[in-house]
Amino acid sequence: MSRKNSNPFSRRAFLGTAASIGALAATGRANAQSVLDSLINAPERGNWDDQFDGNSSRQAVAVVSNNPVLGPSAVSNISQAISDYQMIVANGGWPMVDGSQKLRLGSVDPTVRNLRQRLIVAGDLPQSAGVSDAYDSYVDGAVKRFQGRHGLPEDGVLGEYTLKAMNITADVRLAQLNTNLKRLQEMSPDLGQRYVMVNIPAAYIEAVENDRVALRNTAIVGRISRPTPILDSKIYEVILNPYWTSPRSIIQKDIMPLMRKDPEYLTKNNIRLFDAKGTEVDPSTVDWNAEKAPNLMFRQDPGANNAMASTKINFHNQYSVYMHDTPQQGLFNKLMRFESSGCVRVQNVRDLITWLLRDTPGWSRQQIEAVIQSRQNNPIELTQEVPVHFVYITAWSAKDRVVQFRDDIYKMDGANELALNTTSGIEQISGSVEDDQVPQQ
């Protein structure tokens, strides 16, 4: 898949004209409630409430679909979402939700009324659930559905991140949808029969075949200071038990300081030094206090503490990034998965490479596992290259009128509110360096 425009992200113009929810308060409580009632009862809501019944409303309604983010219906689906959100904005938006009380299932509090109205307006709670002070099973299921649509843990608790996402105004969300419509329109529809998509702000990967998602993998992508680039390429190689060769920038920024602190760092992590002739160099002969890094190759042997663990996935690109496994599997459980140096770490990477190597003879899952266990370096050239697309989509709809939003981690959407949920604190990385390219002893 290719892009018609390599920099489609200046979209601040979309933010200026939509109606503000603040107008509700200015017109008085009674009038505000009247506007909300009009919106909730509007015939244009169509089938938003049809997705609920007496059972499904008591649990999180599924928001995940096997329709891909970049599928053939992507533009029409987000256009429908824009139409829905235009109606919401035109009718005054949704009420702000009070976060002074930590609400959860079983809570009874007057602030639940605004929460119920907020969920009804966006289609997460059926109108038939009514408006009351009770945080009942209907509200619990609706909050979980809202959380699922925003990439948050579906725990039904109105915590900090859920509250922040909930109190982004409808006009800002509408602008976000318009921004992403433009991005989708500027992409070529030629995706390929089989392709891999990395959605950077969502921090996950889709393996797509015949316009259906065959596999989804959680990912860790670049932090703000070292962002993952937007690109289109083709996967041509999978390396089992890869050597890791450090880029010079990593040697200068990270390994040199680590060696000053611990002269045994390279040895502990099975990293060996080689000169231009391929001769191994003893680390003790290097001046680690020098201003510039030595002109040597830093290569880590395959093994349990290799920075890429079992697997590296290669594709041609000008940024020298790739996809890979990691020995730090616990990082996939984090909400904020924006911590790499630009490369993409893949959870359950062996599922993905099994899918990639399906048409390459001699590489069943059993054979892949056997080679990984051998700890022997083994590059595999794909018989059929697979397109890969790194994209930046923060709003989309891949299921009937179920609209997904993600945080604008790289601040490309033009509204500061959209970056609030994930930009706070994620640069404060624990330890000396937490990096997808630097082994941690």
Side-chain angles (χ1 to χ4, degrees):
M1 181 172 143
S2 61
R3 246 164 294 277
K4 298 176 184 177
N5 185 331
S6 61
N7 184 25
F9 301 119
S10 179
R11 303 287 180 257
R12 295 179 185 273
F14 283 106
L15 297 174
T17 59
S20 171
I21 190 64
L24 287 176
T27 57
R29 184 179 181 87
N31 190 41
Q33 187 60 55
S34 175
V35 173
L36 282 169
D37 290 343
S38 298
L39 176 59
I40 291 169
N41 294 314
E44 294 87 351
R45 285 179 61 84
N47 65 355
W48 277 21
D49 291 335
D50 296 345
Q51 38 192 318
F52 298 94
D53 57 35
N55 293 320
S56 65
S57 60
R58 287 175 166 80
Q59 57 190 345
V61 177
V63 300
V64 177
S65 168
N66 62 356
N67 297 325
V69 170
L70 302 182
S73 300
V75 171
S76 61
N77 285 343
I78 199 171
S79 296
Q80 176 63 62
I82 288 170
S83 177
D84 291 336
Y85 275 69
Q86 284 172 336
M87 182 186 72
I88 291 173
V89 169
N91 284 277
W94 44 60
M96 297 294 99
V97 178
D98 185 354
S100 60
Q101 304 293 325
K102 192 167 185 179
L103 302 174
R104 63 179 73 218
L105 181 63
S107 299
V108 178
D109 191 274
T111 60
V112 176
R113 289 181 170 269
N114 273 3
L115 172 61
R116 282 177 172 265
Q117 291 171 335
R118 167 69 174 87
L119 294 167
I120 290 172
V121 169
D124 291 310
L125 181 68
Q127 183 183 349
S128 60
V131 177
S132 72
D133 295 346
Y135 198 118
D136 57 18
S137 59
Y138 286 89
V139 176
D140 181 69
V143 170
K144 289 177 179 177
R145 183 179 187 274
F146 174 91
Q147 290 168 329
R149 293 196 302 110
H150 292 77
L152 299 167
E154 297 175 35
D155 57 12
V157 178
L158 201 67
E160 175 187 358
Y161 297 114
T162 299
L163 187 66
K164 285 180 179 179
M166 202 165 278
N167 282 335
I168 292 174
T169 59
D171 57 312
V172 171
R173 288 302 191 193
L174 174 59
Q176 187 178 14
L177 287 165
N178 277 307
T179 296
N180 284 275
L181 170 63
K182 186 69 172 177
R183 289 172 183 161
L184 291 169
Q185 289 174 330
E186 291 178 343
M187 294 178 182
S188 166
D190 184 16
L191 300 166
Q193 183 181 2
R194 299 177 81 228
Y195 65 90
V196 172
M197 181 217 66
V198 178
N199 190 3
I200 298 166
Y204 78 69
I205 299 161
E206 290 181 349
V208 180
E209 187 164 5
N210 296 321
D211 294 325
R212 308 298 279 179
V213 176
L215 188 67
R216 274 196 182 91
N217 297 74
T218 300
I220 296 170
V221 299
R223 54 188 181 266
I224 299 171
S225 59
R226 300 185 188 183
T228 295
I230 297 162
L231 60 84
D232 300 292
S233 186
K234 290 187 177 180
I235 296 169
Y236 67 89
E237 181 184 50
V238 168
I239 302 177
L240 303 181
N241 301 317
Y243 291 107
W244 171 70
T245 303
S246 175
R248 188 166 182 81
S249 60
I250 298 296
I251 297 170
Q252 185 72 49
K253 293 178 182 178
D254 300 321
I255 295 182
M256 292 284 285
L258 286 167
M259 282 298 289
R260 291 173 195 138
K261 293 180 180 179
D262 180 7
E264 298 299 314
Y265 172 79
L266 294 179
T267 302
K268 289 176 181 178
N269 286 282
N270 300 317
I271 299 174
R272 296 189 288 167
L273 309 182
F274 298 89
D275 63 19
K277 296 180 180 180
T279 303
E280 188 166 357
V281 176
D282 187 339
S284 65
T285 64
V286 176
D287 180 7
W288 298 106
N289 292 306
E291 183 178 348
K292 293 186 178 180
N295 191 23
L296 299 170
M297 179 175 71
F298 287 58
R299 192 185 76 179
Q300 185 184 35
D301 293 333
N305 63 345
N306 184 281
M308 294 180 289
S310 69
T311 309
K312 180 183 181 184
I313 300 171
N314 276 328
F315 42 91
H316 298 293
N317 66 93
Q318 68 191 63
Y319 309 100
S320 299
V321 298
Y322 43 84
M323 300 163 68
H324 64 95
D325 192 9
T326 175
Q328 298 173 305
Q329 291 292 312
L331 296 177
F332 291 110
N333 298 323
K334 298 180 69 173
L335 174 60
M336 315 305 184
R337 299 191 308 278
F338 307 93
E339 297 187 350
S340 83
S341 288
C343 292
V344 176
R345 306 182 218 182
V346 185
Q347 188 177 35
N348 300 322
V349 70
R350 298 181 196 186
D351 294 339
L352 180 59
I353 62 173
T354 299
W355 183 83
L356 288 171
L357 294 172
R358 187 193 66 189
D359 298 328
T360 301
W363 291 105
S364 65
R365 178 64 178 258
Q366 292 75 14
Q367 290 164 316
I368 290 170
E369 295 289 350
V371 170
I372 291 173
Q373 289 300 316
S374 76
R375 299 286 174 85
Q376 296 298 309
N377 177 259
N378 197 321
I380 306 167
E381 185 176 347
L382 272 64
T383 299
Q384 185 69 41
E385 295 182 348
V386 177
V388 61
H389 313 293
F390 284 25
V391 301
Y392 196 88
I393 303 295
T394 62
W396 71 93
S397 177
K399 188 178 179 180
D400 291 344
R401 303 182 92 165
V402 177
V403 187
Q404 299 257 2
F405 294 103
R406 295 297 185 271
D407 296 313
D408 177 26
I409 185 64
Y410 296 159
K411 299 185 178 181
M412 292 181 172
D413 286 357
N416 289 333
E417 302 97 313
L418 299 177
L420 277 178
N421 289 351
T422 55
T423 56
S424 176
I426 65 168
E427 289 290 312
Q428 300 172 9
I429 298 169
S430 61
S432 55
V433 180
E434 184 173 278
D435 197 292
D436 63 315
Q437 294 183 327
V438 178
Q440 296 300 300
Q441 180 64 30

